[in-house]
Amino acid sequence: MPSHRGKLSLTETNRRFYERLWSEAQLVEPQRFNTWPLVSELAARARRMLEVAPGLRPRLPLDRAQFVDISRAAMTRFRSRGAAASVGIIHALPFADGAFDFVCSFDIVEHVDDDETAFAELARVAAPGAALLLSVPLHASAWTPFDDFVGHRRRYEPNDLADKLARHGFAIERSAVFGMQPKSSRLLDLGMWFLTHQRERAMWWYNRVFMPLGLRMQKPLQWKQGFHDEPGIDTTLLICRKQG
């Protein structure tokens, strides 16, 4: 089971971890991710786009979207590229109701204590008919020390996640496997040891070696209708539609 932290501690853990990570990383262009073919398709039909908590790994086009993140270092880098970016949190998005036709949020709702408010905010800023592109980790049984380290509060069970999205007005259209839990824990244990005992060295290897290598090894996303779940899925990527 997850080891839950105090509310203030969790928020501060997230802020410190990602502020440190993004201050030492380079911005990765959205065209380099395997999500780009889908994003291009959805963006072509959207006039107003928002990405929540992109860090320095944005999926939406920098010149057309609005970005908001808890990391000041990340948003400063976005603004240096001419992107519309502001510092903020998912619980209080600084935008009007129904302001966006396409909302994107990768790996964020699992980090917050009050995910109901987070989902409510995503729903509030999404216009009727808007697309929501959302990724979350699945299955509490797949919890590892890494979830604790990066500040995860939960992993979602598929049925519970679908019900939660429906309560906030989102219908799931398609899903894709977005990560697989490794069969062996040795690599994870080694990574955790370096992150805990040699953080600077671990960050250097992540930003300069493992991230570029991971980008090269990406495979095209395989989409299925509805919410697809199977044993071993670590993270799911969902395309949802805001109901009228």
Side-chain angles (χ1 to χ4, degrees), residues 2 15 46 66 94 98 102 112 132 165 179 185 187 191 206 213 241:
R15 189 193 67 79
Q66 171 73 53
F102 182 11
V112 302
L132 171 67
L165 284 165
S185 64
L187 185 60
Y206 171 77
L213 183 62
R241 189 69 56 181

Side-chain angles (χ1 to χ4, degrees), residues 5-244:
R5 308 180 186 190
K7 190 171 185 177
L8 180 60
S9 174
L10 179 67
T11 301
E12 186 61 16
T13 295
N14 286 330
R15 189 193 67 79
R16 290 187 179 188
F17 181 86
Y18 289 102
E19 190 71 20
R20 184 80 169 274
L21 177 64
W22 302 137
S23 66
E24 300 171 3
Q26 296 297 315
L27 189 149
V28 179
E29 299 290 338
Q31 294 86 346
R32 297 186 64 188
F33 291 102
N34 62 355
T35 51
W36 183 247
L38 170 70
V39 166
S40 299
E41 172 193 331
L42 295 174
R45 301 194 294 266
R47 293 184 299 106
R48 306 160 297 169
M49 297 182 288
L50 169 68
E51 186 164 357
V52 181
L56 289 178
R57 310 290 185 252
R59 307 308 171 102
L60 296 185
L62 295 175
D63 60 343
R64 291 186 54 203
Q66 171 73 53
F67 300 90
V68 60
D69 195 282
I70 195 173
S71 169
R72 190 171 300 278
M75 294 298 91
T76 298
R77 196 80 58 85
F78 273 66
R79 287 193 289 267
S80 72
R81 294 286 304 274
S86 57
V87 176
I89 59 175
I90 194 172
H91 289 104
L93 296 173
F95 309 108
D97 296 358
F100 299 99
D101 309 305
F102 182 11
V103 179
C104 185
S105 180
F106 281 75
D107 303 321
I108 177 63
V109 292
E110 68 270 18
H111 284 272
V112 302
D113 289 290
D114 181 7
D115 67 334
E116 288 290 346
T117 299
F119 278 107
E121 278 293 274
L122 293 174
R124 182 184 64 79
V125 300
L132 171 67
L133 188 57
L134 177 78
S135 70
V136 298
L138 295 179
H139 306 301
S141 61
W143 193 272
T144 71
F146 186 75
D147 290 281
D148 284 312
F149 187 82
V150 299
H152 285 177
R153 181 54 115 186
R154 67 188 63 79
R155 282 174 170 269
Y156 288 91
E157 300 305 328
N159 289 339
D160 294 339
L161 178 60
D163 289 344
K164 191 181 293 285
L165 284 165
R167 288 200 305 273
H168 291 284
F170 290 109
I172 299 172
E173 294 186 342
R174 287 181 282 168
S175 62
V177 175
F178 201 53
M180 300 295 289
Q181 190 78 334
K183 295 181 179 179
S184 172
S185 64
R186 291 183 179 180
L187 185 60
L188 177 62
D189 291 341
L190 180 62
M192 282 300 304
W193 187 91
F194 272 100
L195 283 168
T196 303
H197 296 92
Q198 297 190 25
R199 188 185 186 91
E200 296 291 341
R201 188 177 179 185
M203 290 295 191
W204 188 94
W205 277 91
Y206 171 77
N207 287 318
R208 293 170 175 80
V209 178
F210 294 120
M211 184 65 194
L213 183 62
L215 289 170
R216 288 179 176 271
M217 295 177 65
Q218 291 179 106
K219 297 179 180 179
L221 293 170
Q222 301 296 317
W223 292 98
K224 296 189 177 182
Q225 293 298 315
F227 194 168
H228 177 68
D229 179 38
E230 64 184 35
I233 293 180
D234 179 55
T235 304
T236 187
L237 181 61
L238 303 174
I239 304 173
C240 307
R241 189 69 56 181
K242 177 69 179 300
Q243 304 303 290

